[in-house]
Amino acid sequence: MILAVPQSVGSADSNLSITTQASSTKSTLMSIQFRTLLQGWAVGTGGIILKSVDGGKKWKRVKSGTAALLTSVFFADLSTGWVTGAGGFLSRTTNGGESWLPQSLDTQQPLYGMYFTSPMVGWVVGGSGTIFHTRDGGQHWVEQASGTTAALYAAHFLNDQKGAIVGALGTVLSTDDGGITWTPQEMQSAVTLFDVFFTDAATGWAVGNAGALFQTTDGGGKWVDQTLPCGKTCTRLTDLLKVRFTSPQEGWIVGERGMLYRTSDGGHTWSEGRSIAPTSLFGLSFPDAMHGWASGENGTIVHLQSGR
């Protein structure tokens, strides 16, 4: 199925082709990542791990060794990848996701998100303020003091030292020393934040429930509420679940009910939002500026191709 979707406010000069791909599963796919235009992975409920080597035309199920809910997948390069899940589940691959080896973490908290700046250096985050950090490719994990008991859902790092984490109750934490110290940032809202993404050291975005959209232009010190209006046809604000920018100007957000929002002017304006799938979308990944993939409920995988 291919739909030509003309974009509205802020990106009227480009079209978007949307292709629904056959995942051959009904599992909810919580996370998706493409490192290149061909090689991608998706994970979700029931311990499912899918791999594609042809841009998502075909998806192969890979043994995960667990039936736990898998919440996120992250490949630091084409060989080395990680999966997080419920009950402190963490698994690693060193052969491009063909086989997975569980890692031992001293926690039973659900792990929701992670970010690696290299195959050696990374962080995982989860329930009750959980943060773990590795500097040796997962041989050892050190728990870092977050100073919060809020659930932490996502992390984004610009380098080995500077990063941010977001979570429930309007929680935003930032670090300039690789997580040795985490500093809570002032938010004007107790909204749950599901994702965070920085385009450079100063400019970042966080998204969350009920249309929550916040921007920082000072590296996370101050966050400005840019929550999207409901729009002409909506009856309630959409939960925004993932945000990605492919350049300082081009940004994408997906959320519940298959909603997609897009900006081409650095977030000054966003498209009004349209549904690109009949189900909520939890995962979003762009290997380059022209191609992206989203994943969600009922095995949904959608390929986005920008018309520019």
Side-chain angles (χ1 to χ4, degrees), residues 40 43 61 66 93 135 159 193 263 270 272 279 281:
V43 303
R61 185 160 185 167
T66 183
T93 180
R135 290 185 296 183
N159 52 49
L193 298 170
T263 182
W270 291 84
E272 193 171 298
T279 59
L281 298 172

Side-chain angles (χ1 to χ4, degrees), residues 10-300:
S11 50
D13 58 344
S14 66
N15 288 338
L16 185 66
S17 72
I18 297 166
T19 310
T20 301
Q21 298 185 326
S23 67
S24 302
T25 182
K26 295 298 181 184
S27 296
T28 294
L29 299 175
M30 298 296 297
S31 180
I32 193 166
Q33 187 192 22
F34 273 78
R35 284 292 306 188
T36 70
L37 293 177
L38 295 178
Q39 196 158 329
W41 303 265
V43 303
T45 54
I48 191 166
I49 299 178
L50 300 176
K51 179 180 179 180
S52 178
V53 294
D54 61 4
K57 294 183 182 72
K58 294 177 185 169
W59 290 90
K60 174 181 78 170
R61 185 160 185 167
V62 179
K63 285 185 179 178
S64 66
T66 183
L69 164 67
L70 300 181
T71 53
S72 66
V73 57
F74 194 104
F75 274 74
D77 58 27
L78 287 176
S79 299
T80 310
W82 305 82
V83 168
T84 62
F89 183 81
L90 179 67
S91 193
R92 179 178 68 153
T93 180
T94 56
N95 60 8
E98 290 300 310
S99 61
W100 294 83
L101 185 65
Q103 307 282 296
S104 180
L105 272 190
D106 186 22
T107 183
Q108 292 300 306
Q109 291 292 336
L111 302 175
Y112 295 120
M114 59 184 152
Y115 199 89
F116 282 76
T117 52
S118 72
M120 291 290 111
V121 180
W123 292 258
V124 297
V125 301
S128 297
T130 299
I131 305 173
F132 280 90
H133 176 46
T134 184
R135 290 185 296 183
D136 57 11
Q139 299 299 316
H140 303 87
W141 289 90
V142 175
E143 189 163 12
Q144 295 185 331
S146 67
T148 182
T149 57
L152 302 177
Y153 291 118
H156 187 235
F157 279 76
L158 288 165
N159 52 49
D160 290 357
Q161 302 300 314
K162 186 171 178 58
I165 292 171
V166 297
L169 306 174
T171 301
V172 179
L173 307 174
S174 67
T175 184
D176 290 315
D177 57 15
I180 296 170
T181 54
W182 286 97
T183 305
Q185 302 300 328
E186 190 65 35
M187 291 289 282
Q188 304 303 314
S189 170
V191 66
T192 296
L193 298 170
F194 294 120
D195 200 22
V196 60
F197 192 89
F198 277 76
T199 57
D200 56 42
T203 308
W205 297 85
V207 298
N209 67 344
L213 176 62
F214 289 83
Q215 181 190 23
T216 181
T217 55
D218 65 358
K222 181 182 178 186
W223 291 83
V224 178
D225 191 344
Q226 308 268 24
T227 296
L228 299 175
C230 204
K232 300 186 189 79
T233 57
C234 93
T235 54
R236 68 180 179 85
L237 291 165
T238 301
D239 287 352
L240 306 180
L241 302 173
K242 274 289 185 290
V243 57
R244 292 290 182 268
F245 274 73
T246 56
S247 74
Q249 300 301 313
E250 296 282 340
W252 309 73
I253 297 170
V254 294
E256 66 173 335
R257 304 196 302 277
M259 293 301 287
L260 171 74
Y261 303 85
R262 189 176 175 192
T263 182
S264 59
D265 58 12
H268 292 293
T269 59
W270 291 84
S271 63
E272 193 171 298
R274 61 189 69 240
S275 179
I276 62 168
T279 59
S280 293
L281 298 172
F282 297 101
L284 185 63
S285 178
F286 285 85
D288 68 16
M290 306 292 286
H291 300 83
W293 279 263
S295 68
E297 294 170 321
N298 211 26
T300 298

